[in-house]
Amino acid sequence: MVLLNSVQALPTQAEPLPSIAIIDSGINTSLFKDNIVYEVCIVSEFTCPNGKQKMEGVGAANTPISTNKILRHGTAVVSAILQNNPSAKIVMIRIVGINSEGNPANYYLEDIDMALRWVVNNQTKHNISVVNISQGNTFATCKISETFKKDVQTLKKKNVPVITPAGNDGNSKPVFSPGCWRETISIGAINSVGTIQSYSNAQGKVDFYLKDNYTVTTMDGSKKDIYGTSFATASLSAWWALNKLNSIQDTYRYLQSVAKPASNDFVKGTYVEFGQ
């Protein structure tokens, strides 16, 4: 098994650890106080905790404890990242508004665009080195805005990858937007023996397949077994923040060099694995 964590030495104590910007839904921020360094909320429907559609600072990304699948997603993604990179510093960007009854709004690719633009404008200030977007949707074609494309390219020049999920609609479905865009790093899911999961989208661009199952911390602090391309994406984001090389291309080529063949009855690809 490849121990990828040994690729590059950790930053020295004099150097702050880079942060991972997570564009996702609500989160119980009290669970991750030692890791969250900044909070943002940018929504197009319903509101942030301050009753407006934008908020920054303490509490901005927080949501009430909920069993709602959408709202609990962000907490699970952060939990998966921290299992792979316990010291990771997190900039949490919430893109899901909530109404007075505690119900989540719909979110759109435009919400992801707004969040990514915030990352571009604040990348240097918060030392953002990786962007994790475990969100998206399936479209017949790769639906991506010109703003998103421009921002991904801007971040790429700064050696900041945008890592995205392939999606969970089945391998006959197109890869999620925005993960279908060629300049993102799109991630599918494999099982414990390296077989591509049948639910993992694979029609289109999938760069790598990774482990998909985690026992995560939920919003109320309990543990839950969970799986999906969102958590395979989180796994790579966590690793990338620790091990990134001088350019996205260099890191990508390294991953290609250690990747192993992966397949199922319908599709072929390559997978990488972490730890022992």
Side-chain angles (χ1 to χ4, degrees), residues 15 80 89 112-113 153 159 213 240 258:
E15 299 172 324
K89 301 305 178 186
I112 294 175
D113 289 354
Q153 292 281 20
N159 195 16
N213 60 300
W240 201 298
V258 300

Side-chain angles (χ1 to χ4, degrees), residues 37-113:
V37 295
Y38 200 68
E39 299 176 52
V40 182
C41 177
I42 305 172
V43 302
S44 61
E45 289 188 1
F46 298 165
T47 63
C48 300
N50 63 354
K52 301 178 181 180
Q53 291 187 312
K54 185 172 182 179
M55 180 180 176
E56 293 192 32
V58 176
N62 191 55
T63 65
I65 294 174
S66 174
T67 58
N68 182 278
K69 184 177 180 180
I70 294 173
L71 295 180
R72 69 188 186 194
H73 188 269
T75 300
V77 166
V78 172
S79 179
I81 283 177
L82 295 180
Q83 287 180 51
N84 290 281
N85 184 349
S87 299
K89 301 305 178 186
I90 304 298
V91 174
M92 192 70 199
I93 306 171
R94 178 180 136 190
I95 59 169
V96 176
I98 300 177
N99 66 12
S100 59
E101 286 76 42
N103 298 316
N106 293 321
Y107 74 90
Y108 306 93
L109 292 180
E110 290 78 7
D111 296 287
I112 294 175
D113 289 354

Side-chain angles (χ1 to χ4, degrees), residues 24 69 73 76-77 80-81 84 132-135 163-170 176 186-192 195-201 206 208-216 224-236:
D24 213 288
K69 184 177 180 180
H73 188 269
V77 166
I81 283 177
N84 290 281
N132 185 99
I133 307 177
S134 289
Q135 297 286 337
I163 303 178
T164 56
N168 305 332
D169 295 329
F176 266 7
S186 55
I187 306 301
I190 59 167
N191 64 18
S192 60
T195 301
I196 296 173
Q197 298 282 31
S198 60
Y199 71 78
S200 180
N201 292 5
V206 178
F208 300 105
Y209 293 86
L210 278 87
K211 168 189 172 182
D212 66 335
N213 60 300
Y214 285 90
T215 300
V216 298
K224 179 179 177 64
D225 292 333
I226 201 164
Y227 64 90
T229 58
S230 289
F231 309 105
T233 300
S235 177
L236 185 62

Side-chain angles (χ1 to χ4, degrees), residues 94-231:
R94 178 180 136 190
I95 59 169
V96 176
I98 300 177
N99 66 12
S100 59
E101 286 76 42
N103 298 316
N106 293 321
Y107 74 90
Y108 306 93
L109 292 180
E110 290 78 7
D111 296 287
I112 294 175
D113 289 354
M114 290 190 295
L116 193 64
R117 172 46 56 97
W118 184 93
V119 171
V120 169
N121 292 337
N122 293 273
Q123 183 269 329
T124 301
K125 178 180 178 181
H126 295 286
N127 194 18
I128 295 169
S129 66
V130 175
V131 181
N132 185 99
I133 307 177
S134 289
Q135 297 286 337
N137 211 333
T138 298
F139 298 93
T141 58
C142 188
K143 184 179 180 182
I144 300 294
S145 73
E146 292 304 314
T147 297
F148 183 89
K149 293 177 182 179
K150 180 180 178 181
D151 287 344
V152 171
Q153 292 281 20
T154 297
L155 292 169
K156 186 175 181 179
K157 292 175 182 177
K158 297 182 178 183
N159 195 16
V160 179
V162 176
I163 303 178
T164 56
N168 305 332
D169 295 329
N171 56 36
S172 63
K173 293 289 187 178
V175 169
F176 266 7
S177 296
C180 54
W181 173 238
R182 65 177 181 269
E183 299 295 345
T184 69
I185 312 295
S186 55
I187 306 301
I190 59 167
N191 64 18
S192 60
V193 295
T195 301
I196 296 173
Q197 298 282 31
S198 60
Y199 71 78
S200 180
N201 292 5
Q203 191 177 79
K205 181 184 77 71
V206 178
D207 293 283
F208 300 105
Y209 293 86
L210 278 87
K211 168 189 172 182
D212 66 335
N213 60 300
Y214 285 90
T215 300
V216 298
T217 302
T218 66
M219 294 189 82
D220 64 2
S222 63
K223 300 294 183 181
K224 179 179 177 64
D225 292 333
I226 201 164
Y227 64 90
T229 58
S230 289
F231 309 105

